[in-house]
Amino acid sequence: MDHADRLPVARLMGGVPPTALVLLGIVSVQVGAAFAKQLFTVAGAAGTVTLRLVMAALVLVAIWRPSLRLDRRTLLTVVVYGAVLAVMNLCFYAALARIPLGAAVTIEFLGPLAVAVAGSRRWIDAVWVLLAGTGVVLLTGVQGGLLWTGVLFALAAGACWAAYILVTAKLGSQTTDGKGLALAMVVGAVIALPFGVGSAGTAMLDPLVLAAGFAVALMSSVVPYSLELEALRRMPPRVFGILMSMEPAVAAVAGLLLLGEHLAPAQWVAVCCVVIASVGATRSAKPDV
């Protein structure tokens, strides 16, 4: 597609440095998660996920007006991407309903860390894994601890996040705009819909709930996923991973400021351990070719 033919949204993002796109996406998704958690009392975790994905799909389809005329390889990537989005968000919001935002994101971040060290035989990467493991032990082992169901959901979300990074890079290489993302979001919304209806029922149709769901969709899906997809087209996944390493710290601050979720000193140390491990593992990874 010629640059002149791109939609205004694409041209606008094209003028922003990829580093800034990633940082904006990080802040947007964590603020969105904090607002989403406040919807749980009305729509439940699954209902909130469904609202988020359905609203995001509607917005992205309206913006990009995607066509189903894709080759088989790209269509398969779109379907896998949408499935990963749905499962990742269902698991993450289930974790968020049980443990603080900062803790959930820190545990979930083991997924991207695994991507960074996968297949490595260097001793330094073993150090990063050990540091991250120490962080998780600190996070879950303080007095009062964390609900293990929440920890398990966060770990499952982390596995999906690892897949998300890989599939996002693949989708970015197979498409030139946000049309593939829009179709993938539709797939994710369809997968999540039965869970949301079973959890929240008609509560999702309340006008105030719909408005809140729309805001969450913009902050947690439309803005960050679009920014990340564009950023990954213009930077190596290794650099993307380094920037994403700030996610647990941003989540902990968002939980503190917006939800009043106070982490114990040892848990803040745990967050720092995982952030340092992720930065170290990503920086020491083999350069992308």
Side-chain angles (χ1 to χ4, degrees), residues 164-188:
Y164 164 77
I165 292 174
L166 300 176
V167 179
T168 298
K170 190 170 184 180
L171 183 65
S173 68
Q174 293 176 354
T175 59
T176 57
D177 50 31
K179 293 181 180 180
L181 174 62
L183 289 175
M185 196 66 70
V186 172
V187 172

Side-chain angles (χ1 to χ4, degrees), residues 28 71 85 118 136 139 143 164 239 259 261-262 289:
S28 180
D71 62 83
L85 280 180
V136 173
L139 195 62
Q143 186 175 5
Y164 164 77
V239 178
L259 299 172
E261 294 177 340
H262 294 270
V289 293

Side-chain angles (χ1 to χ4, degrees), residues 76-146:
L76 177 61
T77 301
V78 165
V79 171
V80 172
Y81 188 98
V84 168
L85 280 180
V87 178
M88 178 175 69
N89 284 293
L90 285 167
C91 289
F92 176 67
Y93 276 39
L96 204 57
R98 294 164 172 81
I99 58 179
L101 173 59
V105 174
T106 300
I107 295 169
E108 185 191 26
F109 213 78
L110 295 180
L113 180 61
V115 172
V117 301
S120 174
R121 296 181 179 179
R122 293 173 299 175
W123 67 268
I124 189 64
D125 287 324
V127 173
W128 303 133
V129 171
L130 181 61
L131 183 61
T134 301
V136 173
V137 170
L138 283 173
L139 195 62
T140 58
V142 297
Q143 186 175 5
L146 299 173

Side-chain angles (χ1 to χ4, degrees), residues 28-49 51-52 89 92-93 96-97 101 212-213 215-217 219-220 258-259:
S28 180
V29 76
Q30 296 309 329
V31 172
F35 280 115
K37 189 164 185 174
Q38 299 178 52
L39 267 179
F40 287 2
T41 55
V42 178
T48 302
V49 171
L51 281 171
R52 167 182 165 177
N89 284 293
F92 176 67
Y93 276 39
L96 204 57
L101 173 59
V216 170
M219 289 186 291
S220 296
L258 300 177
L259 299 172

